[in-house]
Amino acid sequence: MLLAHPNTPVGVERLTEALWDEEPPRHARTVLQGHVSRLRAVFAQYDAAAHGVELLTQGPAYRLRLPEALVDAHRFEESLRFVRRSVDPGEVVAVLREALGLWQGPAFAGTVHRAPLEAPAQALEELRLTAVEALARAYGQLGDHGTAASVLRAEAAAHPLREPLVAQLMLALARAGRQADALDRFHHTRKLLADEIGVDPAPVLIDAYHTLLRTDAPARAHPDADACADAGDRARAHAHADADNGTARPPAALAHAAHAAPAEPAVTPQLLPRRPRGFIARRDELAALDRITTAVPGSLITLTGSAGVGKTALAVHWSHRRRADFPDGTLFVDLCGFSPTPGRETPAVLREFLLALGVPVERMPGSPAALGARYRELTAGRRLLVVLDNAVDSEQIRPLLPGGDECVTLVTSRDRLDGLVATDAARPVTVGALPAADSTALLAAVLGPEPVAAEPEAAARLAGLCDGLPLALRVAAARLATRPHRGLASFVGELADEQHRLDLLRAEDAGVAAALGLSLRHLPEPARWLFHHLGPHIGATLDTGTAAALADCPPPRAARALDQLAAAQLVVETGPQSYVLHDLVRLFARSLAPDDEPAGLLRLLDHWVQTLLAACAAAEPGGEPCCALPPGARRSAEIRRFADRTAALAWYSAERGTLRATVDAAIAAGLHDRAWRLVLLQWPLIVWQVRDGWVPLLEQGLASAELDGDPAAQSRASALLGWVLSEEGRPEEALARLERAPDLAVRAGDFEGEAVARINLAVALMRHGDRQRPGGLLADALALAEREGLTETVTLAHQHLAQHLISVGAAAEAAEHAARGLALAEPLLAAPRRVVLRTLHGEALAAVGRTGEAARQLHEAIREARANAYEEGEVAARLALDGLPEPERGPDPAPVPVWSAGARGRSPLSE
């Protein structure tokens, strides 16, 4: 009642009349208030106010306030008003098909039968029939009389006594070359009028009948059959006319044809929505659909993907493109699986399909089982395309699968529909985000090519911020199209702000957040619960351990929930317990995060610190950790495992951007004790790719260590930053940092940090040309590391002492230090360290004349460098080998399989 009168007060008396036929109960007003209260609860549950929907009390009345565009009946009536003004039949067809597509069964179906509701329901039904008749006329004006007849056929079956509709159907059949069927339709209707209500046909039906009998009737679609068809039709027409006048009795065969119930002619349903406008590319997906339907007759295909990725547009576009391959027609239904409206019930969908297939209302089966059986019977032996759009799960689909072996069924869903794959051999086709080029092409299709061509970089950036999601791109383009003065670059600047991105990607009732919210609403509770805790997550990659840390739950529970989110396409599974969370989905999760989000961020940071500690241990086996967990850190139940150094360095490299963003988040939250740890624990990658722009990150780490008041952290950050500055050729800045590091370590009582700081300072001084101080610094570092039992640091000190002693001409002493370091480096430490030590050992041995031993060491260094893809180490060892007398060099080492794909970069000279 409220929807039938939107934005209008509806009095309690009218509502009472609608609810109770007879005397209402004594407490009718209380019951009515209960209904209103429950409605308001439903509205609150689905955040109706965000869409402008509100149920208001106005004195003794209630008013449902809402944008009228949200009401399907209003949009339907607006479409009818539009086509009345249109003179373009093509435009009329497009608008009316879309308008009639809003209908999902009789108006007010499922409600009580009361006069206050029956009147508007009948009015709407009358408008619907008017629209059907107008659609058929428009098809006729386009010359498509067969489609006009198909449109009218189902409605004539449902309304056999609506004479204007039957008359229009007769003429459409005749113009499509089916004059015999048209004549049969007249006589069937004439008999029905007489039997049912005892009246003769109205003038509109008689006029149509006489039109069929005139010699200048419209030409047939198949002129080759004119001779036979004309004779038969004329004989049939004259026989019927004579019988009506009482002047003659038709021949027995014609008499039987006139009085027997006519067989229902085959109907070719065409229920597809209009072809989507601005459809872009999808070459791979279209090719996959073509390939499957060509190879597998009667295919069942699932098109699955996340909200807003364009599954329906793809399905409808492909269906129009291949329409000629399905001569028996196309069935289409929106199952409303992920939609604000309730999902379509199977019996209602089957009735709709049977009507489209020509089953009259009076012959419609009564039970769901009988409806399904009749549907499968009618689709058997046909070549139909059945498009089941927006399905919520496999169970919703199975009763709607056709019976024909040559019928193709195309299902779209945000769920992966694994059940259909398992039980019905469905062939899955995943619909992903658009590539960058196609995303900008979509923007150009909506905005026009000029704005995109004028600002190509901004267009590419906009496509990236929209994650290649067609819904987001279309909404962004719609906002730009209505505000052309803003320009692409200006809008991209606004969109880059994560706080407001989802708000900007909303246009009236369409938007990314609304689409994602519908996906989330249909998920099981565990998945919804986990999703609400993913807001603090940083970066795209997500594993089970990280999800468990964010939600503070056991990893098995997080794993089950992630699997449910992956099935709903809210996260993308990329490997065992590994997922990707796209930016717009992450921002939506952040908008839903509970009030304790800071606690979630803290758990995430602690999880990252523990993961980095594990990565350090794998990347530099045998080394001491450069820091411990911060006080009060929450230990994660599951930490990523790294098989070896290669795996750890590959992970460091892949996660570098995410780690940088994590440091920024820690600093923004004032969690400096976490921030500097997140920086320093990246040292294995920093020393491996030392000239790769690490200075800003290390300066952040040093600043956080100072704000945290931790001198040990300041020492290590200064030492690492100074060494990187030295490698970048910035000696003055490097020495300014490195000179402070040993004293800070002494103040903190950090013996390992002090030793490392002295080594790094010595290396920088050596590069700066100082030949005096490095020896003392390195000797002090070696003594300190040996005293404290720091094997890795002892090895490092031996390495740099060997290098220093070679440079000052003390080759014998250098060879001794290289040998001692090499003995410690086998087999515990990382291979690159051994390559450097072997090379130094070889150079020192060569300098004291032991060239044979030198050659053996250098050959082994080359072999191990190749095996670990350590290019710089191989180059250094080969240069040293080339410096030996030719007879002493020996043959090159045999090639070895490269088992390590470690990052290429500077040798790891320091921690």
Side-chain angles (χ1 to χ4, degrees):
M1 279 295 291
L2 294 169
L3 279 170
H5 306 87
N7 301 308
T8 303
V10 182
V12 169
E13 293 78 13
R14 292 186 68 190
L15 292 172
T16 303
E17 179 188 355
L19 283 172
W20 291 282
D21 265 340
E22 302 173 357
E23 186 68 22
R26 186 172 54 179
H27 302 295
R29 186 178 290 267
T30 303
V31 175
L32 190 59
Q33 290 170 345
H35 290 319
V36 169
S37 177
R38 283 191 288 276
L39 270 178
R40 284 176 171 153
V42 172
F43 288 174
Q45 179 184 355
Y46 295 104
D47 198 17
H51 303 279
V53 179
E54 190 175 6
L55 181 50
L56 305 173
T57 303
Q58 291 189 342
Y62 295 98
R63 180 166 69 92
L64 184 58
R65 183 182 66 82
L66 79 168
E68 289 193 348
L70 292 183
V71 182
D72 51 5
H74 175 81
R75 299 203 302 275
F76 177 74
E77 291 171 0
E78 284 288 307
S79 298
L80 292 191
R81 281 191 283 272
F82 175 85
V83 299
R84 290 190 189 109
R85 300 190 300 269
S86 177
V87 295
D88 180 0
E91 186 177 59
V92 170
V93 165
V95 172
L96 287 179
R97 282 182 62 85
E98 188 169 351
L100 289 165
L102 295 170
W103 283 77
Q104 300 180 19
F108 299 106
T111 62
V112 294
H113 296 289
R114 300 284 185 270
L117 287 179
E118 287 177 351
Q122 289 171 1
L124 283 169
E125 176 62 12
E126 184 62 31
L127 284 176
R128 189 186 70 82
L129 291 171
T130 300
V132 169
E133 292 167 352
L135 176 61
R137 280 195 298 274
Y139 274 125
Q141 290 169 345
L142 293 171
D144 192 352
H145 302 294
T147 301
S150 296
V151 167
L152 295 165
R153 178 70 178 77
E155 296 302 331
H159 303 275
L161 301 181
R162 187 180 175 92
E163 295 175 82
L165 190 150
V166 174
Q168 192 176 351
L169 172 59
M170 290 164 53
L171 295 173
L173 287 168
R175 289 164 184 156
R178 297 167 59 187
Q179 190 160 349
D181 291 336
L183 291 167
D184 279 343
R185 174 62 57 180
F186 169 75
H187 291 291
H188 175 73
T189 305
R190 178 179 62 82
K191 185 174 185 301
L192 201 61
L193 288 167
D195 294 343
E196 294 287 334
I197 53 178
V199 298
D200 293 325
V204 65
L205 206 59
I206 295 293
D207 290 345
Y209 175 68
H210 288 156
T211 300
L212 298 182
L213 301 180
R214 284 201 294 268
T215 55
D216 59 346
R220 303 177 200 286
H222 304 287
D224 295 346
D226 274 356
C228 294
D230 280 347
D233 285 344
R234 279 196 296 273
R236 184 188 298 249
H238 286 302
H240 284 310
D242 289 344
D244 290 342
N245 296 329
T247 58
R249 181 181 177 86
L254 293 180
H256 176 76
H259 297 292
E264 294 292 340
V267 174
T268 305
Q270 297 293 349
L271 299 186
L272 274 182
R274 63 174 172 81
R275 188 188 295 267
R277 296 174 184 171
F279 185 83
I280 295 297
R282 295 293 188 195
R283 287 176 289 275
D284 292 344
E285 292 89 344
L286 290 169
L289 291 172
D290 289 342
R291 188 167 55 251
I292 293 170
T293 52
T294 300
V296 184
S299 313
L300 168 59
I301 307 169
T302 60
L303 279 178
T304 64
S306 63
V309 82
K311 301 176 293 296
T312 300
L314 172 60
V316 174
H317 176 84
W318 182 84
S319 299
H320 276 283
R321 187 165 161 258
R322 296 290 299 273
R323 192 169 175 175
D325 295 335
F326 303 99
D328 295 317
T330 306
L331 298 172
F332 177 95
V333 64
D334 178 2
L335 294 171
C336 302
F338 297 89
S339 134
T341 58
R344 298 292 307 277
E345 293 184 359
T346 300
V349 175
L350 288 171
R351 288 190 195 95
E352 185 176 311
F353 279 0
L354 291 177
L355 281 172
L357 290 165
V359 176
V361 171
E362 62 269 18
R363 297 184 191 171
M364 192 67 63
S367 69
L371 286 166
R374 183 67 173 136
Y375 169 64
R376 289 187 292 275
E377 178 189 359
L378 285 178
T379 53
R382 293 196 183 193
R383 196 170 177 187
L384 281 161
L385 172 63
V386 180
V387 183
L388 306 175
D389 184 42
N390 198 8
V392 71
D393 54 28
S394 300
E395 186 180 354
Q396 191 182 26
I397 293 299
R398 290 190 182 98
L400 302 176
L401 297 177
D405 291 337
E406 294 191 0
C407 293
V408 169
T409 306
L410 191 57
V411 182
T412 76
S413 180
R414 300 181 192 181
D415 188 87
R416 285 188 314 218
L417 302 177
D418 293 340
L420 277 184
V421 177
T423 63
D424 295 273
R427 303 287 294 273
V429 174
T430 302
V431 186
L434 287 173
D438 291 344
S439 296
T440 52
L442 177 55
L443 288 173
V446 180
L447 286 174
E450 294 82 6
V452 173
E455 299 180 85
E457 291 183 5
R461 176 72 176 137
L462 176 59
L465 291 171
C466 290
D467 280 346
L469 200 66
L471 172 62
L473 290 163
R474 288 183 181 277
V475 171
R479 292 185 72 93
L480 280 165
T482 55
R483 301 167 181 83
H485 58 281
R486 295 172 73 173
L488 272 170
S490 173
F491 185 66
V492 165
E494 297 176 47
L495 208 60
D497 182 358
E498 290 190 347
Q499 299 294 323
H500 303 293
R501 190 177 304 168
L502 287 179
D503 290 334
L504 290 169
L505 293 177
R506 181 176 63 190
E508 294 185 353
D509 58 344
V512 175
L516 293 173
L518 290 171
S519 292
L520 190 63
R521 184 190 305 172
H522 289 83
L523 284 176
E525 173 56 28
R528 289 202 305 272
W529 176 83
L530 177 66
F531 190 83
H532 279 75
H533 286 82
L534 295 182
H537 183 60
I538 297 162
T541 57
L542 177 68
D543 58 28
T544 302
T546 306
L550 281 163
D552 195 18
C553 71
R557 181 179 178 185
R560 287 192 297 273
L562 280 171
D563 189 56
Q564 292 168 340
L565 289 172
Q569 313 281 346
L570 284 171
V571 299
V572 179
E573 190 170 8
T574 56
Q577 298 188 345
S578 180
Y579 303 85
V580 167
L581 185 71
H582 291 303
D583 278 352
L584 292 177
V585 178
R586 178 177 55 81
L587 294 177
F588 178 61
R590 184 172 296 175
S591 73
L592 304 175
D595 295 336
D596 62 347
E597 181 181 1
L601 176 62
L602 188 60
R603 290 193 299 271
L604 176 69
L605 297 178
D606 287 345
H607 177 78
W608 273 110
V609 170
Q610 292 169 75
T611 306
L612 284 164
L613 283 166
C616 280
E620 297 294 334
E624 296 292 328
C626 66
C627 64
L629 286 174
R634 181 73 172 267
R635 288 198 172 270
S636 294
E638 182 178 286
I639 299 297
R640 177 187 286 270
R641 296 179 180 178
F642 300 95
D644 50 30
R645 170 182 173 81
T646 303
L649 286 174
W651 177 83
Y652 270 120
S653 188
E655 296 292 345
R656 181 176 172 181
T658 299
L659 289 168
R660 178 64 182 269
T662 305
V663 172
D664 291 340
I667 292 172
L671 299 170
H672 296 288
D673 59 340
R674 270 73 175 173
W676 66 257
R677 286 175 168 84
L678 291 167
V679 173
L680 291 183
L681 286 169
Q682 297 181 57
W683 75 263
L685 185 66
I686 294 173
V687 300
W688 192 241
Q689 297 179 343
V690 66
R691 296 174 182 170
D692 205 15
W694 294 102
V695 170
L697 178 70
L698 289 168
E699 287 176 338
Q700 281 184 302
L702 179 57
S704 285
E706 291 170 345
L707 289 168
D708 191 36
D710 190 315
Q714 295 171 49
S715 171
R716 290 178 180 263
S718 296
L720 188 54
L721 174 57
W723 183 70
V724 170
L725 287 166
S726 176
E727 288 285 335
E728 289 189 356
R730 299 158 65 177
E732 291 80 8
E733 296 173 76
L735 290 172
R737 300 293 187 184
L738 290 166
E739 292 283 6
R740 294 180 61 232
D743 292 339
L744 286 165
V746 170
R747 198 172 84 195
D750 180 5
F751 300 115
E752 184 185 18
E754 181 186 350
V756 169
R758 292 182 184 281
I759 291 171
N760 284 5
L761 177 57
V763 172
L765 289 168
M766 288 162 58
R767 288 185 179 154
H768 204 48
D770 190 328
R771 299 169 64 86
Q772 301 300 320
R773 288 182 66 194
L777 286 167
L778 290 169
D780 290 345
L782 177 60
L784 180 59
E786 286 179 332
R787 188 190 77 198
E788 297 297 326
L790 303 170
T791 303
E792 166 71 2
T793 310
V794 170
T795 309
L796 191 66
H798 280 306
Q799 172 188 320
H800 289 294
L801 268 169
Q803 189 175 27
H804 169 66
L805 291 166
I806 289 172
S807 71
V808 296
E813 195 177 351
E816 182 183 348
H817 278 289
R820 289 170 62 188
L822 194 56
L824 292 172
E826 293 190 74
L828 295 177
L829 300 185
R833 178 68 44 81
R834 292 196 298 271
V835 171
V836 173
L837 284 164
R838 287 190 190 282
T839 303
L840 291 170
H841 196 197
E843 290 176 350
L845 289 169
V848 297
R850 297 161 62 183
T851 51
E853 295 174 70
R856 284 193 295 275
Q857 288 292 338
L858 293 170
H859 277 301
E860 182 60 24
I862 292 171
R863 187 200 67 78
E864 196 162 8
R866 285 182 182 175
N868 289 275
Y870 180 23
E871 291 180 1
E872 286 195 26
E874 181 181 353
V875 169
R878 182 166 292 285
L879 285 172
L881 183 66
D882 290 344
L884 297 179
E886 191 166 342
E888 302 291 341
R889 296 180 199 171
D892 274 358
V896 294
V898 178
W899 58 267
S900 171
R904 294 170 172 80
R906 192 73 173 166
S907 65
L909 299 178
S910 170
E911 293 181 21

